[in-house]
Amino acid sequence: MSFKKESMQHPDILNLFRVASRSYGDGRSVIKMAQDMGLQHERSLNNKLNANSDHAHLSLYDACNILQLSQDVTPLRAMAYLVDYMVMPLPESKSSQDVLAHFIDVFTACAGVGESVKAATDKNSELGSDLSRSERKASLELVDKLIEASVAFRQALLVE
């Protein structure tokens, strides 16, 4: 998902929370979400998610509940983007040895990506100095794997 920082404002993020709450349960209303949050009425949650409401505001506690129940990280990503950060899932790993081996494998793969990008941007390639859509997608997937492996390796170093 892409966000434009200059146009991203708090009401926009509030709308992302509204969308996350509506996708919970049956996907048509916030009734189940409100019930699972312990609110007496669906109206209470709707008011908290309304940027124009003067009497009800979404608390940090409510926002965390919505994120946890919906498992939709889009609002969290938008909030992080406002302060030049990014959100990514924690990698699953069991020991630092596994992480180190995975990290080395991914780093090796990234060297291959570097070579493929170099070849793809050669003047004699299909698109010349530009990357094709599929080349960009493949490169992004491998970069994401490298970031994930790096975070896993960092976490393993912190706990052992």
Side-chain angles (χ1 to χ4, degrees):
M1 172 166 278
S2 173
F3 300 108
K4 293 183 179 175
K5 191 168 190 175
E6 57 276 359
S7 67
M8 182 61 61
Q9 298 174 2
H10 300 292
D12 297 326
I13 293 173
L14 199 55
N15 187 51
L16 294 174
F17 276 104
R18 185 179 303 109
V19 169
S21 68
R22 289 197 173 125
S23 65
Y24 181 72
D26 63 7
R28 292 179 295 216
S29 70
V30 295
I31 295 172
K32 176 90 170 111
M33 174 74 71
Q35 288 172 345
D36 289 351
M37 288 176 65
L39 300 173
Q40 292 181 346
H41 302 285
E42 169 192 5
R43 185 174 58 248
S44 299
L45 184 55
N46 278 326
N47 286 337
K48 290 179 181 206
L49 295 170
N50 181 354
N52 298 320
S53 176
D54 291 332
H55 60 280
H57 301 284
L58 188 68
S59 69
L60 180 58
Y61 180 78
D62 293 329
C64 290
N65 275 336
I66 292 171
L67 292 172
Q68 186 175 22
L69 290 169
S70 70
Q71 293 294 299
D72 183 347
V73 297
T74 307
L76 184 61
R77 285 185 174 148
M79 291 167 48
Y81 185 79
L82 286 174
V83 292
D84 297 325
Y85 275 79
M86 63 184 265
V87 174
M88 60 186 298
L90 289 175
E92 294 179 28
S93 63
K94 299 202 172 38
S95 75
S96 60
Q97 293 300 325
D98 293 339
V99 174
L100 180 58
H102 183 60
F103 183 76
I104 291 169
D105 290 343
V106 174
F107 206 97
T108 302
C110 283
V113 170
E115 287 298 318
S116 70
V117 169
K118 183 179 176 182
T121 58
D122 184 72
K123 64 180 180 180
N124 296 323
S125 69
E126 179 183 347
L127 295 179
S129 62
D130 293 328
L131 292 175
S132 70
R133 185 177 211 165
S134 62
E135 290 166 332
R136 285 180 190 273
K137 183 178 178 186
S139 296
L140 282 172
E141 287 172 3
L142 287 168
V143 168
D144 287 344
K145 286 181 182 179
L146 175 62
I147 292 169
E148 182 179 327
S150 299
V151 170
F153 183 58
R154 183 181 188 283
Q155 290 301 107
L157 291 173
L158 289 174
V159 295
E160 291 193 19

